[in-house]
């Protein structure tokens, strides 16, 4: 029947296009396409592997630093470098900060307006709003005056007839179910979260000079010198204090604003626990080393694979099983497009074969995206906070189990509810809680090292390229906010010979593979009801629940 | 033209409890960032008081959204103030409520109804190879959109290296034929805010300058505002005393590094970079790369990816030699070769002297005569 | 003809020349001044320049100012270097026949031939160097190259300096340079040219010493005193039948000595 096109999909990073076939008020088939390509893998060739992270980091400015970390992991793997414990801790702190910040921004600024009707907030009673807010948390700001102020601000905006960023929203759409008071509370927290994220991310500024695009990673460690007695050191007791205070305030915000808001919103949209399920295959590379990076079994978040929603079994992960197809992607492979390639043999040879712009529809039977299609043992995988939480849950991670079970109990929902659009939203919030609390712990561990006189931050044995073998290959991996991230590097004569990144959003947003299997977005959209094809709010809900990042996905 | 009958800024600010004192303080921060003499404070306050939310659209092309994210991290003013009070921010893919058709319609409406009045901010490079197929939005190429939107704007602002000069995307071998805005759409008025990403403190100041004086601040030869790009990092750096004294970090994490010594020997490009990082810093003045212990990579310099890399070496790679061959190595090898040649010549000359026939010892009288003659 | 201007000093003092040699005033004061100022400033510029590139001395004291001093000295020496080059360039047009610009750029066929013959000499295809009073054509061409390189060093150096001082005046002079090549490439050129100068230095040292030993013309001392020791044949070739040339302008600096013995001075 009707072909719906959403292009641009907004409130994401990058240029994503969704085409969907709607039959009988629901989606019968869907295609996900990335419409921008830069060629960073090609640009990296011939450059100094020690600075690859500076370049690779620019794959994305939203999940900034995850590509930097994965890049140094890859080069360290190739050269056999172990980093000092302090470097491991600083990396964990930076990464957890990133994930916490990214998740908060995603929920409030990228996703909330799919559930929250801004205009309906004008009808709210500030007193009742304050009662609602106080009933779900003790956030000190929740008084009527505060909500009244917010409401007046929104009112001024609407009356100005220039709604700024909010002008083209689907206000009044029948799929919005929140009462006006909940809408007003959410709008207030939207503004609150804007202030929170910029204050919280100063952790990155202290450790990395700036955010986005921190400037502090090093092959072999970090550039954050530590010294208990030097004001000129990046990390000293005064900075530790700042980091701790900031991390603790994040924990407060997550506990008192983010989690209660997610639970409140979810309560009004229970049918979305049964929609947007998708593939049922989940993968996590594991992240946050507790000791050596060579020992993933001791990572804070476990590594593993879950197939067909079967939480009773976690399969071990073997990176050798990862491949990428370009059968439906605008690339050529030497030797033909039908077979997949392992990233260590990966190729990036762009060849656009889509319709000539300006165009109306893509040729979805052929090649239709700049994303490659990654597969594990030839199977498509969903990656991201939900996959991580499920793998940890099924692996018996005590903290995760109690968090997940507690939340499911509060929502009065079975574990199967997690395989859904709202399941992703909830998993993201729970992960934020988990990481915010461990952030505090890692900062404390760093502080203990500082006090005990362990000031090592960089392993310089292999800094000089003359100490390197003539050629070497490495694999770096990490669990970025959006999921499993891998960089494969091949070094020859102290220069990068080949560089391949397989990125979380490539897994999730990728097109069909050589067998015609759908990617995670495409699968998750199936059967989604669409009330008004002109205003496909439901598509946004499910797609946004993955937190798409297309700059990452294509690079 | 457009509906410009909105509420003024002070009214909007008052509505949400911002005092006049706070408002004036904000204005004076802007005056300071712009490096204007304090006497301009009155003009800024007055202009901001009567400012009528001009329309702004933010376009993203071959970008990483780092500049959008950076914008979200500003406090003076916050993005909330920009979006709700100062400007009417009508289009910005990363954060706008509308999507698809509705989003595109919003952009189209601005171009139509506010022709010649709105500000177009561009983030990301623009691919020109293969008819621009490397970046399309709603089926149209970035190149087409940039031409359409920016040529009707009152002014365009290119934020970040990519939008200015092609940035990372344009780095060798530039697989997509990427260029910056002013090259993609020649002839339009562009202010370039280099950096990777741009520093929102500067961008905010440019916008405030525009709101106050209805024109862009003074620009350099790259169309970058002088107040932000006029001085060398090195001359403003807090580690400069160590540089002059000769105290350098020699290994990451060594004593010098812990004491905050100069990062020159670790490849810091501060001496060849201009930007105001050491003064305005990042993330509400929290820090900047050198303060946090890593050298500057000159991210606000022209085509810095190719020009200022390798980032851990003092000088660039000599083209045509491998990455492990430095200019110094080439120099010493050449000197060795010359010394070798001289030594060989010396030996040869000694032998020649020994075997030279006596009749040749006076030499020829004419330059053309030779010993054989 | 000004071209015959060969200096005006009468020689006094107990000089002893090699048999059959004539003492002749070749290198005038400005040439020698420029030469030795060049040598001195180049040594200073090289040491300080290399230090700027690679600060090999790490100071620890509170009051140290090593890099600041190195840069200061580099700049002072740079002005000396520039002064030397300017003096020498001026003397291209004011100096005697051996100092003139045509001695550097081989425009005439005869000079070209001389250069070719000198190459042959270096390649052991000749027994003897070509006889000359000033420098041979190949040496002249090499000096031209070195003057050119010095100019590049000055331009890049001034551009680097202007990158720091942003002076309007300098801007007029070298403001165009950073538009041609990024400041980082200017540094690279500035640095590589230093090696080119050292390269020349080795070559120059060798060929000067070789000439001194082969030609016995006292050329090293000549750069100090101004005088070289030449044969009758040299004079004849350069000035025609008698010193002073066919226009019979006296070369007053030339004095013949019958005496044999060691050269001193
Ligand atoms: C024989 C002549 C010269 C030599 C061998 C020489 C050598 C050098 C070297 C090796 C450097 C360090 C380059 C680097 O790694 O950054 C340098 C820097 C510099 N030179 Fe020269 N140089 C010479 C002449 C000049 C002249 C004529 C000037 C004119 C002003 C000049 C001005 C500079 C400046 C401004 C710097 C940069 C200093 C800084 O970054 O603080 N140099 N020179
Ligand atoms: C690196 C430093 C040096 C430079 C750049 C340099 C440059 C020059 C130049 C440009 C000339 C041509 C003279 C003119 O017409 O102006 C020259 C000639 C000469 N230089 Fe140097 N010189 C250097 C070092 C020396 C030293 C250390 C000595 C002494 C041992 C020396 C001895 C001579 C002599 C003897 C001549 C005359 C050679 C001839 O007749 O062709 N030079 N030099
Ligand atoms: N997908 C993705 Fe990223 C994340 N998280 C990358 O690794 O967002 Ni830009
Ligand atoms: S300039 Fe830097 S931060 Fe901005 S889009 Fe380009 S890569 Fe991203
Ligand atoms: S750290 Fe960099 S910018 Fe600062 S003084 Fe040293 S070289 Fe200059
Ligand atoms: S890298 Fe960029 S952020 Fe500033 S310190 Fe250097 S210009
Ligand atoms: Mg890839």
């Amino acid at each position: 029947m009707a072909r719906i096109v959403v292009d641009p999909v907004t409130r994401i990073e990058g240029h994503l296009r969704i085409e969907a076939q709607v039959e009988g008020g629901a989606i019968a088939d869907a295609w996900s396409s990335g419409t921008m390509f830069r060629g960073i893998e090609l640009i990296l060739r011939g450059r100094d592997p020690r600075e690859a992270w500076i370049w690779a980091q620019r794959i994305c400015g939203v999940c900034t630093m995850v590509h930097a970390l994965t890049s140094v992991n890859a080069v360290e793997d190739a050269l056999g470098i172990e980093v000092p414990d302090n470097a491991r801790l600083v990396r964990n702190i930076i990464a957890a900060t990133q994930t916490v910040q990214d998740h908060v921004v995603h929920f409030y600024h990228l996703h909330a307006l799919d559930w929250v009707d801004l205009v309906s907030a004008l009808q709210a009673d500030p007193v009742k709003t304050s009662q609602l807010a106080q009933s779900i948390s003790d956030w000190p700001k929740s008084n009527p005056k505060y909500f009244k102020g917010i409401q007046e601000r929104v009112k001024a905006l609407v009356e100005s007839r220039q709604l700024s960023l909010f002008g083209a929203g689907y206000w009044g759409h029948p799929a919005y179910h929140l009462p006006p008071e909940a809408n007003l509370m959410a709008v207030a927290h939207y503004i609150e979260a804007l202030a929170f994220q910029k204050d919280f991310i100063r952790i990155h500024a202290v450790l990395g000079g700036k955010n986005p695009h921190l400037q502090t990673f090093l092959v072999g460690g970090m550039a954050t010198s530590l010294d208990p007695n030097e004001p000129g050191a990046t990390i000293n007791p005064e900075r530790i204090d700042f980091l701790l205070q900031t991390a603790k305030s994040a924990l407060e915000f997550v506990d008192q604003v983010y989690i209660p808001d997610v639970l409140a919103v979810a309560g009004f949209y229970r049918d979305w626990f049964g929609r947007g399920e998708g593939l049922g295959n989940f993968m996590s590379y594991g992240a946050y080393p507790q000791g050596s990076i060579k020992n993933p079994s001791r990572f804070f978040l476990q590594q593993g694979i879950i197939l067909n929603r079967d939480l009773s079994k976690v399969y071990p992960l073997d990176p050798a099983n990862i491949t990428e197809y370009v059968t439906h992607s605008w690339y050529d492979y030497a030797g033909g497009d039908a077979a997949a390639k392992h990233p260590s043999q990966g190729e990036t040879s762009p060849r656009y074969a889509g319709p000539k712009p300006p165009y109306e529809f893509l040729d979805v039977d052929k090649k239709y995206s700049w994303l490659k299609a990654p597969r594990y043992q030839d199977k498509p995988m969903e990656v991201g906070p939900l996959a991580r939480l499920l793998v940890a849950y099924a692996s018996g991670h005590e903290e995760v189990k109690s968090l997940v079970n507690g939340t499911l109990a509060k929502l009065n929902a079975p574990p199967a509810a997690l395989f859904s659009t709202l399941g992703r939203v909830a998993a993201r919030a729970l992960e934020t809680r988990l990481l915010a609390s461990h952030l505090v712990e890692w900062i404390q561990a760093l502080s203990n090292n500082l006090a005990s006189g362990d000031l090592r931050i960089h392993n310089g044995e292999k800094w000089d390229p003359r100490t390197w073998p003539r050629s070497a290959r490495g694999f770096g991996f990490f669990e970025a906010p959006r999921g499993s991230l891998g960089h494969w590097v091949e070094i020859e004569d102290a220069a990068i010979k080949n560089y391949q990144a397989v990125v979380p959003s490539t897994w999730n947003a990728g097109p069909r593979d050589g067998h015609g299997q759908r990617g995670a977005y495409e699968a998750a959209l199936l059967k989604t009801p669409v009330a008004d094809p002109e205003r496909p709010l439901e598509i946004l809900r499910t797609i946004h629940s993955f937190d798409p990042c297309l700059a990452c996905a294509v690079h | 033209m457009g509906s410009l009958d909105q509420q003024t800024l002070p009214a909007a600010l008052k509505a949400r409890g911002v005092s006049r004192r706070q408002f004036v303080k904000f204005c004076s921060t802007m005056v300071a960032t712009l490096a204007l003499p304090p006497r301009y404070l009155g003009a800024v306050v007055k202009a901001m008081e009567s400012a009528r939310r001009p329309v702004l659209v933010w376009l993203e092309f071959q970008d990483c959204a780092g500049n959008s994210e950076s914008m979200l991290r500003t406090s003076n003013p916050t993005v909330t103030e920009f979006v709700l009070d100062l400007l009417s921010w009508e289009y910005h893919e990363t954060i706008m409520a509308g999507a698809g058709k509705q989003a595109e319609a919003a952009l189209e409406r601005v171009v139509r109804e506010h022709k010649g009045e709105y500000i177009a901010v561009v983030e990301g490079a623009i691919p020109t190879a293969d008819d621009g197929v490397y970046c399309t939005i709603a089926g149209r190429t970035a190149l087409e959109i940039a031409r359409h939107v920016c040529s009707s704007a009152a002014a365009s602002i290119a934020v970040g290296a990519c939008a200015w000069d092609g940035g990372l995307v344009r780095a060798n071998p530039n697989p997509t034929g990427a260029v910056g805005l002013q090259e993609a759409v020649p002839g339009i008025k562009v202010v370039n805010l280099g950096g990777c990403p741009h520093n929102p403190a500067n961008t905010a100041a440019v916008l405030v300058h525009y709101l106050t004086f209805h024109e862009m601040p003074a620009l350099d030869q790259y169309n970058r505002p002088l107040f932000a790009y006029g001085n060398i990092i090195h001359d403003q750096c807090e580690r400069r005393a160590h540089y002059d004294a000769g105290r350098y970090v020699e290994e990451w994490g060594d004593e010098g590094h812990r004491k905050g010594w100069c990062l020159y020997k670790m490849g810091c490009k501060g001496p060849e970079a201009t930007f105001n990082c050491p003064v305005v810093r990042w993330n509400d003045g929290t820090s900047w790369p050198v303060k946090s212990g890593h050298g500057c990579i000159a991210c606000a310099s022209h085509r810095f990816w190719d020009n200022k890399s390798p980032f851990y070496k003092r000088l660039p790679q000599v083209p045509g030699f491998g990455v492990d061959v430095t200019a110094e190595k080439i120099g010493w090898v050449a000197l060795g070769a010359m010394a070798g040649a001289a030594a060989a010549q010396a030996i040869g000359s000694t032998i020649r002297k020994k075997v030279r026939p006596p009749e040749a010892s006076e030499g020829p009288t004419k330059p053309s005569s030779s010993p054989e003659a | 003809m000004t071209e015959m201007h060969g200096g005006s000093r009468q020689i006094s003092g107990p000089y002893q020349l090699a048999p059959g040699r004539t003492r002749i005033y070749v290198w005038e004061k400005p040439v020698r001044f420029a030469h030795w100022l060049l040598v001195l400033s180049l040594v200073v510029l090289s040491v300080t320049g290399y230090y700027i590139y690679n600060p090999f001395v790490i100071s620890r004291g509170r009051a140290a100012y090593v890099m600041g001093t190195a840069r200061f000295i580099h700049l002072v020496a740079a002005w000396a270097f520039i002064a030397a080059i300017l003096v020498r360039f001026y003397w291209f047009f004011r100096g005697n026949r051996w100092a003139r610009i045509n001695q550097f750029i081989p425009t005439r066929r005869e000079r070209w031939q001389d250069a070719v013959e000198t190459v042959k000499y270096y390649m052991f295809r000749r027994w003897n160097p070509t006889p000359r009073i000033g420098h041979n054509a190949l040496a002249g061409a090499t000096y031209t190259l070195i003057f050119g390189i010095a100019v590049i060093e000055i331009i890049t150096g001034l551009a680097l300096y202007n990158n720091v001082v942003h002076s309007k005046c300098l801007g007029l002079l070298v403001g165009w340079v950073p538009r041609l090549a990024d400041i980082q490439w200017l540094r690279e050129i500035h640095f590589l040219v230093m090696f080119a100068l050292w390269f020349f230095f080795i070559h120059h040292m060798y060929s000067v010493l070789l000439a001194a030993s082969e030609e016995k013309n006292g050329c090293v001392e000549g750069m100090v005193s101004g005088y070289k020791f030449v044969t009758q044949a040299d004079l004849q070739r350069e000035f025609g039948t008698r010193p002073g040339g066919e226009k019979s302008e006296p070369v007053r600096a030339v004095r013949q000595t019958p005496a044999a013995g060691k050269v001193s001075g």
Side-chain angles (χ1 to χ4, degrees), chain C residues 129-166:
Chain C
T130 64
R132 282 283 134 199
I133 293 180
H135 25 65
N136 69 58
L138 187 68
T142 318
Y143 300 144
T144 310
L145 205 71
I146 222 60
F147 283 129
I149 282 178
V151 169
I152 296 177
E153 194 71 339
I154 290 171
I155 292 172
T156 51
L158 288 176
L160 286 176
Y161 186 50
N162 195 39
N163 186 47
V164 179
V165 295
H166 294 295

Side-chain angles (χ1 to χ4, degrees), chain A residues 145-320:
Chain A
K145 187 166 170 254
Y146 167 69
F147 288 116
K148 180 120 185 69
I150 299 288
Q151 194 177 36
E152 279 182 356
R153 217 168 162 192
V154 175
K155 204 166 149 198
L157 187 76
V158 172
E159 283 171 359
S160 78
R161 281 180 285 139
Q162 284 194 308
L163 267 78
S164 229
L165 291 171
F166 311 105
Y170 298 144
W171 318 129
H173 191 286
Y176 281 123
H177 295 322
L178 291 186
E181 284 73 24
N183 281 322
L184 179 57
M185 179 181 77
V187 170
H189 293 167
Y190 176 108
I191 294 171
E192 199 79 42
L194 270 176
F196 163 78
Q197 55 90 28
K198 81 175 164 53
D199 291 338
F200 174 63
I201 209 62
R202 291 170 69 207
I203 292 180
H204 275 183
V206 164
L207 295 173
K210 60 174 178 166
N211 168 285
H213 298 328
L214 290 74
Q215 203 148 301
T216 186
F217 288 85
L218 294 172
V219 166
M222 299 296 290
T224 49
S225 59
L226 326 82
D227 200 306
N229 306 313
E230 291 292 347
T234 313
I235 298 166
N236 54 31
E238 180 209 330
R239 304 270 160 74
I240 292 274
D241 202 50
F242 173 85
L243 300 179
L244 265 183
Q245 293 315 316
T246 312
K248 282 181 184 158
S249 74
L251 198 53
E252 221 165 85
F253 182 86
V254 172
D255 275 342
Q256 299 193 9
V257 184
Y258 182 18
I259 301 250
D261 281 355
V262 169
L263 294 178
V265 167
F268 288 99
Y269 289 100
R270 300 188 60 88
D271 39 347
W272 285 87
F273 277 117
R275 289 183 191 149
E277 298 97 311
L279 298 167
N281 300 332
F282 299 93
M283 179 173 78
S284 166
Y285 287 168
Y288 304 101
Q290 312 268 51
S292 166
I293 196 162
K294 296 254 156 42
N295 190 2
S297 63
R298 283 204 57 234
F299 282 11
F300 172 61
L301 290 175
Q302 286 101 329
Q303 190 175 71
I305 305 268
I306 288 169
L307 294 177
N308 304 317
R309 301 177 195 186
D310 180 1
L311 294 182
S312 70
K313 189 143 178 40
V314 179
Y315 297 88
L317 179 121
D318 179 358

Side-chain angles (χ1 to χ4, degrees), chain B residues 243, chain C residues 42 45 49 53 71 74 78 153 157 161 187 190 194 197:
Chain B
Y243 169 86
Chain C
L42 195 122
L45 283 165
Y53 160 75
R71 291 176 70 234
H74 192 79
E153 194 71 339
Y161 186 50
R187 274 178 173 273
H190 197 73
M194 176 175 73
L197 285 163

Side-chain angles (χ1 to χ4, degrees), chain B residues 1 8 23 28 31 33 60 81 117 132 140 172 198 292 349:
Chain B
M1 294 243 126
T8 59
F23 171 67
S28 64
V31 169
T33 310
E60 289 170 86
E81 281 149 350
E117 291 175 349
R140 296 155 74 204
N172 192 38
H198 73 135
S292 294
S349 294

Side-chain angles (χ1 to χ4, degrees), chain C residues 35-36 199-211 220:
Chain C
H35 181 268
W36 294 113
F199 190 87
F200 162 80
F201 183 77
I202 296 176
H203 165 271
H204 185 58
M205 272 320 66
Y206 176 72
S207 55
V208 162
L209 293 178
L210 181 71
V220 175

